[in-house]
Amino acid sequence: MDWGTDLWDQYDVIDKHTQSGLDLVDRYIKFVKERTEIEQNYAKQLRNLTKKYAKRGSKDEQDCKFSNYASFQEILNELNDYAGQRELIAENMMTAICVELTKYLQDIKQERKTHLSDAKKAQQTLESSFKHLESTKKRFAKEWAEADKATQQAEKTENDLNATRLDVEKAKQHAHARTHTAEECRNDYAAQLQKYNKEQNFFYYSEIPQIFNKLQDMDERRIQRLAEGYCQFSDIEKKVLPIISKCLEGISTAGGKIDEKQDSILFIEQHKSGFERPGDVEFEDYTQGIKPATSDSSLHPPKVRAKLWPFSKKHKTTHAEKHMPPPAEDFSHLPPEQRKKKLQAKIDDITKELQKTQDQSDALEKMKGVYEQNPQMGDPSSLEPQITETAQTIGRLRGELAKYETWLAEAVGGEESSNTVNNNAQHSISSVVTADQSQNIYTEFDDEFDDIESPIGQCTALYTFEGNSEGTISITEGELLSVMEEDKGDGWMRVLRANGEEGYIPSSYVKLTP
């Protein structure tokens, strides 16, 4: 069964049905657009929520050393990544469904218009042929009537006794001419009738069925394409479900990392002073040497014991305290335990800054290599002032790190103990020696390129991302990337690949290198 055979006379019904199908495609496109808006608003609200509760400041960083604080920060990070996946769903739906279906809808509208126009033209051609047939038929009828009338007139003239032979001949010739003309019109009518019947047969059995079958094929293709769009509505979200599951698993893992005993130990380590508890107060005997006449209690008042309860109010700064010498750089003014903790915290801060500077130096070297291989992307010499400055910073930090490590070794009682306390810091020093040794080769360049943009860190791709939209780039799982612009709350960050390609990727697809 097909439209051309069974619906050969239902042009208007086919017209309305195909138009209704196109209207459904348009409704589905609008539906998906509204879904993407919901996803985008949802992601935005999630990002604002994580930003609102994210810890900031030195005190917050100190708190994050506790597992229950750190786990909450991990939960916020995972939720931020989750928001990025919702944004990715919205973007993919807009690209794969809305944009593609809109383009397809325009094409199929034009195809439908062409088929309906062909059907109209065929109908008009057949109607024009029928009008010509009617005209030929009327002319034949008219001429045949005139011929019959002329024949009767000739017979009447021939039977008239008063008519001359010339009148009779003239009447016969006129009747013969009329009869001949009528015969020609009859032949024209017969030929036109045969032509029309042939055209009508072609119209109803071939031309219109073909057009209607094309419209049927078009409508079936439209239904199939719409079905694909329906499936994409689900498949697009299914593709990111593994990553969403990882985010949710990360939240569960963060909760499982909490160690209440370790948090208590850490709190103790941070705040214990190292002093011994106060000893017993000795009895002071005032009965010795008491004079009966006078009492020296007013001359020698008893000593007042200082408050030992730690929750006393903060005392006011005295004049003597104002003129106390400033705290020593090596924290030697503090008790042993507090001094060790302060020195260790300072070493950790310097180590962190040293590693960050080293990462920046590595990124600059990689970028320089990219520029050397691809001169059209930039001038390698423009990076050398920054490389020199970074190398000098590394040297300064290395010196500070060595100084504080020496003080820590003194605090814990020897160089060997220092190595045990801070192996990670020693490892960081060795990792930056190469950069420090290379600093001298760049000192000859000017500072005219100070404003050249440099990477602010590095990251590793956790997943493969196909950058199909404008401004994005494609990355592969495990690829090392340079961070050019961090995530500003919209779920995207700008990175530089080793081949020099630069663009935006979802923040949730990478892991920052510490």
Side-chain angles (χ1 to χ4, degrees):
M1 298 177 69
D2 54 58
W3 291 9
T5 302
D6 299 299
L7 301 177
W8 62 272
D9 58 344
Q10 298 298 322
Y11 173 87
D12 292 337
V13 173
I14 292 175
D15 185 358
K16 292 180 181 179
H17 178 74
T18 53
Q19 181 60 49
S20 177
L22 299 185
D23 292 341
L24 179 60
V25 175
D26 187 56
R27 282 179 61 203
Y28 182 64
I29 292 173
K30 292 178 179 178
F31 162 74
V32 176
K33 282 183 179 179
E34 291 193 22
R35 161 72 189 275
T36 60
E37 291 174 0
I38 293 174
E39 291 288 356
Q40 289 168 346
N41 291 334
Y42 177 46
K44 183 178 179 180
Q45 291 176 356
L46 288 179
R47 289 194 182 279
N48 290 337
L49 181 65
T50 56
K51 187 176 180 181
K52 176 181 178 182
Y53 284 91
K55 289 285 189 179
R56 293 182 178 86
S58 58
K59 182 181 181 301
D60 295 331
E61 290 180 1
Q62 186 73 13
D63 288 341
C64 283
K65 292 182 179 179
F66 297 103
S67 63
N68 55 109
Y69 284 83
S71 291
F72 183 55
Q73 292 303 308
E74 289 185 22
I75 289 173
L76 293 176
N77 293 336
E78 293 292 351
L79 188 60
N80 194 59
D81 293 342
Y82 177 87
Q85 298 309 310
R86 307 313 305 187
E87 289 174 337
L88 190 61
I89 290 173
E91 180 186 358
N92 290 342
M93 281 189 175
M94 181 61 71
T95 303
I97 299 180
C98 296
V99 174
E100 293 299 325
L101 270 184
T102 300
K103 181 180 178 182
Y104 178 77
L105 183 61
Q106 296 301 322
D107 294 339
I108 204 170
K109 278 183 178 180
Q110 185 60 43
E111 182 181 352
R112 173 180 175 275
K113 182 179 180 181
T114 300
H115 293 325
L116 293 179
S117 177
D118 291 342
K120 282 285 187 182
K121 289 179 181 178
Q123 181 68 34
Q124 291 173 356
T125 301
L126 184 65
E127 289 176 356
S128 176
S129 179
F130 181 76
K131 288 179 180 180
H132 186 58
L133 174 64
E134 286 294 313
S135 175
T136 307
K137 178 181 177 182
K138 289 179 180 179
R139 185 185 175 195
F140 165 61
K142 179 181 178 182
E143 291 296 333
W144 186 257
E146 290 292 335
D148 186 56
K149 181 179 178 181
T151 301
Q152 292 179 1
Q153 184 64 36
E155 291 177 355
K156 183 178 178 181
T157 302
E158 185 178 3
N159 294 329
D160 188 2
L161 298 177
N162 297 322
T164 62
R165 188 176 182 85
L166 182 61
D167 292 336
V168 173
E169 287 296 328
K170 186 183 290 186
K172 286 183 178 181
Q173 288 179 359
H174 179 69
H176 180 73
R178 281 292 181 181
T179 302
H180 179 71
T181 301
E183 286 292 337
E184 289 181 349
C185 290
R186 180 178 181 279
N187 293 336
D188 289 343
Y189 169 63
Q192 186 61 35
L193 180 62
Q194 185 178 7
K195 179 183 177 184
Y196 173 76
N197 287 334
K198 184 178 179 181
E199 290 177 353
Q200 180 178 253
N201 185 276
F202 174 75
F203 176 81
Y204 286 115
Y205 288 93
S206 180
E207 191 172 19
I208 285 297
Q210 287 180 4
I211 294 174
F212 284 2
N213 285 340
K214 288 179 181 179
L215 285 167
Q216 179 183 357
D217 178 69
M218 178 206 73
D219 193 62
E220 290 174 356
R221 282 187 282 111
R222 188 266 310 167
I223 295 173
Q224 184 181 14
R225 182 65 183 85
L226 187 58
E228 293 174 2
Y230 290 165
C231 294
Q232 283 179 308
F233 189 78
S234 171
D235 294 340
I236 287 173
E237 186 164 358
K238 286 181 180 178
K239 287 181 180 179
V240 301
L241 282 181
I243 303 177
I244 290 178
S245 297
K246 285 188 177 182
C247 294
L248 298 177
E249 289 173 6
I251 293 175
S252 299
T253 303
K257 286 181 180 179
I258 296 177
D259 186 343
E260 63 279 4
K261 295 296 183 183
Q262 186 61 36
D263 283 0
S264 295
I265 293 173
L266 180 59
F267 178 72
I268 293 171
E269 290 296 327
Q270 284 183 351
H271 298 286
K272 69 179 181 180
S273 65
F275 291 116
E276 295 293 332
R277 291 181 177 85
D280 293 339
V281 178
E282 296 180 359
F283 178 78
E284 298 182 22
D285 191 355
Y286 290 98
T287 61
Q288 300 297 326
I290 298 180
K291 295 180 180 180
T294 60
S295 174
D296 60 353
S297 61
S298 60
L299 299 176
H300 303 279
K303 294 180 181 179
V304 179
R305 187 183 182 191
K307 291 182 179 179
L308 299 178
W309 192 244
F311 304 119
S312 59
K313 293 184 179 179
K314 202 171 183 181
H315 70 280
K316 296 183 179 179
T317 305
T318 64
H319 178 75
E321 288 173 334
K322 289 181 180 179
H323 291 82
M324 288 178 63
E329 186 181 4
D330 61 354
F331 303 109
S332 58
H333 62 288
L334 297 174
E337 287 294 331
Q338 292 292 343
R339 183 189 182 197
K340 284 188 289 184
K341 278 184 278 193
K342 286 287 185 180
L343 289 170
Q344 185 62 58
K346 189 70 175 179
I347 289 173
D348 291 342
D349 291 341
I350 296 175
T351 302
K352 188 184 298 183
E353 185 177 357
L354 189 60
Q355 185 61 47
K356 181 178 179 182
T357 309
Q358 179 61 46
D359 292 340
Q360 184 177 359
S361 176
D362 294 342
L364 287 171
E365 291 291 344
K366 287 183 180 181
M367 186 179 295
K368 180 182 177 184
V370 171
Y371 284 178
E372 288 175 348
Q373 295 177 5
N374 304 279
Q376 70 275 8
M377 296 184 63
D379 184 6
S381 62
S382 64
L383 301 175
E384 290 173 356
Q386 294 182 20
I387 294 175
T388 302
E389 182 181 354
T390 305
Q392 291 173 351
T393 303
I394 290 174
R396 176 180 58 79
L397 292 173
R398 189 163 64 89
E400 291 184 8
L401 188 61
K403 180 173 62 175
Y404 280 96
E405 283 184 335
T406 301
W407 289 335
L408 181 60
E410 294 174 358
V412 298
E415 185 67 31
E416 184 176 353
S417 299
S418 174
N419 293 338
T420 304
V421 172
N422 199 30
N423 285 330
N424 292 334
Q426 293 286 356
H427 176 71
S428 300
I429 293 177
S430 61
S431 68
V432 300
V433 170
T434 304
D436 184 58
Q437 292 174 346
S438 63
Q439 63 178 330
N440 295 329
I441 63 174
Y442 301 111
T443 55
E444 60 187 66
F445 294 95
D446 298 328
D447 295 332
E448 60 185 13
F449 301 107
D450 286 344
D451 57 344
I452 300 299
E453 184 179 9
S454 61
I456 59 177
Q458 287 185 302
C459 60
T460 304
L462 297 175
Y463 317 100
T464 298
F465 173 69
E466 299 292 337
N468 297 324
S469 57
E470 183 178 357
T472 62
I473 60 172
S474 300
I475 59 173
T476 56
E477 182 178 351
E479 183 178 1
L480 185 64
L481 306 164
S482 297
V483 181
M484 306 302 293
E485 182 179 337
E486 62 182 4
D487 187 352
K488 296 182 178 179
D490 57 357
W492 294 88
M493 62 191 304
R494 184 161 57 90
V495 299
L496 175 69
R497 300 184 69 186
N499 61 2
E501 189 178 8
E502 184 176 344
Y504 286 90
I505 61 170
S507 305
S508 58
Y509 273 57
V510 297
K511 178 180 181 182
L512 295 177
T513 303

